C-alpha cells in the first residue's frame, strides 16, 4: 500500500480547499491510501519544546515520516503560506537532524476565490520545501482561481473544466508517487 499524507492548509469549517482535496482523494487509485494530517491542534513550535515529549508533535512526525508522499492543498493567507501549515512544517523539520522532509516527495495545490489562485502561497511553499531537501512535483502546477465557482451547494466540484484540471493533476501525482 502506498501511503499519502494529506495536509489541508485551512482550519475553516467550510473550507473550499477541503472540497478540492476531497475531489483529489476520490481519484486515488487502488493500492493508494490517503490520510489527513490534522494540523489544527498543534501548539506553536519553539525549539525549547525539543526537550519535551509532545504527543501531537510525535503523531504528525510519525505520520509524515511513514508517508511515501505528502500532498498539500492550501489557501493563501496574506500572500503566503497559512501559519498552521508553516507551524506543521517547522515541527516536522526538528529536532535538528531529525527532519522528515529530506528526500520526501511532495506536491502542492492551492485554491482561492480570488483571481490568482493562491499562487504566492504555492510558490512560497515550494521554496520552503526545497530548502528542506524535499522533492516537489513540478508539473502540472495547480493554483486554482475562482475556486468557489467550481463547487456546488454540497461542496462537490461540478465544473467540467476544473474537474479536468484536477483529474490531470491527480493522475500525474499518483503515478509519480506509485511510479506506475
Ligand atoms: C487571514 C486571511 C488572509 C487571506 N489572504 C488571501 C490572499 O493573500 N490571497 C487570496 O487569494 N486569498 C486570501 N484570503 C481569502 C481566502 O482565499 C479565502 O478565505 C478562502 O476561502 C480560503 O480557503 P479555505 O476556504 O480553504 O479556507 C485570505 C483569507 C484570510 C482568512
Amino acid at each position: 500500500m502506498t501511503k499519502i499524507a494529506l495536509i489541508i492548509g485551512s482550519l475553516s469549517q467550510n473550507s473550499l480547499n477541503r472540497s478540492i482535496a476531497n475531489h483529489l482523494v476520490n481519484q486515488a487509485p487502488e493500492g493508494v491510501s490517503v490520510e489527513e494530517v490534522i494540523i489544527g491542534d498543534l501548539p506553536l513550535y519553539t525549539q525549547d519544546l525539543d526537550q519535551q515529549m509532545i504527543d501531537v508533535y510525535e503523531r504528525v512526525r510519525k505520520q509524515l515520516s511513514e508517508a511515501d508522499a505528502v500532498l498539500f492543498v492550501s489557501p493563501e493567507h496574506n500572500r503566503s503560506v497559512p501559519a498552521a501549515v508553516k507551524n506543521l512544517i517547522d515541527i516536522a523539520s526538528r529536532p535538528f537532524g531529525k527532519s522528515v522532509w529530506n528526500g520526501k516527495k511532495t506536491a502542492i495545490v492551492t485554491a482561492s476565490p480570488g483571481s490568482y489562485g493562491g499562487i504566492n502561497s504555492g510558490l512560497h511553499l515550494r521554496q520552503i520545501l526545497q530548502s528542506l531537501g524535499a522533492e516537489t512535483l513540478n508539473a502540472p502546477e495547480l493554483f486554482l482561481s475562482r475556486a468557489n465557482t467550481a463547487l456546488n451547494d454540497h461542496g462537490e466540484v461540478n465544473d467540467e473544466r476544473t474537474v479536468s484540471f484536477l483529474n490531470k493533476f491527480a493522475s500525474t501525482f499518483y503515478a509519480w508517487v506509485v511510479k506506475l
Side-chain angles (χ1 to χ4, degrees), residues 1-33:
M1 183 64 80
T2 302
K3 283 190 188 175
I4 294 175
L6 170 68
I7 294 162
I8 297 175
S10 172
L11 306 184
S12 163
Q13 297 285 327
N14 300 312
S15 164
L16 62 89
N17 280 274
R18 180 171 292 281
S19 295
I20 299 299
N22 287 342
H23 182 93
L24 295 171
V25 171
N26 290 337
Q27 308 305 307
E30 222 173 285
V32 172
S33 73

Side-chain angles (χ1 to χ4, degrees), residues 27-45:
Q27 308 305 307
E30 222 173 285
V32 172
S33 73
V34 185
E35 192 182 73
E36 183 177 350
V37 178
I38 304 297
I39 63 172
D41 62 352
L42 300 170
L44 284 178
Y45 176 75

Side-chain angles (χ1 to χ4, degrees), residues 74-76 79-82 110 118-126:
S74 179
E76 173 173 281
R79 296 284 184 266
S80 192
V81 179
T110 62
I119 187 169
N120 281 297
S121 170
L123 296 181
H124 284 178
L125 184 50
R126 179 178 288 273

